Amino acid sequence: MFTYSMIAGLVHLKVLKIWLCEELEQIIVKDDDGDERDQIVSVSHLQSLCFPSLCKIEVRECRKLKNLFPVAMASGLPKLQILRVTKASRLLGVFGQDDINASPVDVEEMVLPNLRELSLEQLPSIISFILGCYDFLFPRLKKLKVYECPKLTTIFDTTPNGSMSARYKVLLI
């Protein structure tokens, strides 16, 4: 849907709604310039690619989508207030590692500082809010809805200071 170079021109985008895109597999893809030297995407490059004004994301009925954004882009959503994902049957995580060649993010905790509403509904394949061993903090979250997400292992909990968190559940075998 968006290439890395397109994102640079969308700094004023406030609302992103993607509905009924049955064949959409990725929201953000690498530029197709054919230069193999650019095949490895650095974390700092992903973090600089962001939507600094984006307040609302709504994704509905995108059956082939596996995640919304690379995990490194989470820090590039400082104004995000509403995040709703519904009926994305192949979605594994909201944030994930899109690029197998990308370097892992070197932080254990991510923050969506202004997120007030998070809704995850009818996502039969979702395993985790964020794919990888990260914790997420939502200091301003007021509304959380998780409905028909049977494989979700993320634990949503309140921290001692009153913030909401999403923790990756470690399964002991």
Side-chain angles (χ1 to χ4, degrees):
M1 182 160 192
F2 298 114
T3 62
Y4 292 155
S5 59
M6 287 174 64
I7 293 171
L10 298 172
V11 294
H12 300 291
L13 183 69
K14 292 187 185 304
V15 176
L16 177 61
K17 291 185 179 183
I18 305 171
W19 295 350
L20 297 167
C21 294
E22 296 287 330
E23 299 301 315
L24 181 68
E25 293 181 17
Q26 290 181 306
I27 293 175
I28 298 172
V29 295
K30 276 195 260 179
D31 296 300
D32 189 21
D33 59 11
D35 188 351
E36 290 188 22
R37 292 174 298 171
D38 294 333
Q39 293 303 306
I40 295 176
V41 180
S42 73
V43 170
S44 60
H45 181 65
L46 281 172
Q47 288 171 332
S48 68
L49 295 171
C50 58
F51 297 103
S53 301
L54 195 61
C55 297
K56 181 178 181 178
I57 299 172
E58 193 168 324
V59 176
R60 185 183 310 164
E61 296 185 53
C62 296
R63 307 225 184 265
K64 290 188 178 180
L65 193 62
K66 291 187 179 173
N67 61 63
L68 301 189
F69 301 109
V71 65
M73 287 186 69
S75 61
L77 299 167
K79 294 186 178 178
L80 185 64
Q81 295 176 17
I82 298 170
L83 175 57
R84 294 182 188 133
V85 186
T86 307
K87 294 183 180 178
S89 58
R90 291 189 188 167
L91 192 81
L92 298 174
V94 175
F95 292 96
Q97 198 73 26
D98 270 341
D99 189 334
I100 58 171
N101 295 319
S103 305
V105 178
D106 192 24
V107 295
E108 292 181 13
E109 187 175 84
M110 307 289 276
V111 179
L112 287 175
N114 289 299
L115 191 68
R116 293 176 313 164
E117 179 183 330
L118 173 60
S119 178
L120 304 173
E121 298 181 60
Q122 297 175 315
L123 305 171
S125 299
I126 192 169
I127 297 167
S128 181
F129 180 75
I130 181 169
L131 296 173
C133 296
Y134 306 95
D135 288 344
F136 247 93
L137 284 179
F138 315 109
R140 293 191 169 86
L141 192 69
K142 299 295 181 208
K143 183 178 179 182
L144 171 65
K145 183 175 184 179
V146 178
Y147 176 71
E148 291 186 10
C149 301
K151 295 180 181 177
L152 186 64
T153 61
T154 299
I155 298 169
F156 292 96
D157 201 3
T158 305
T159 64
N161 71 0
S163 293
M164 181 65 73
S165 70
R167 292 183 292 119
Y168 182 77
K169 182 178 179 181
V170 178
L171 299 174
L172 299 174
I173 298 175

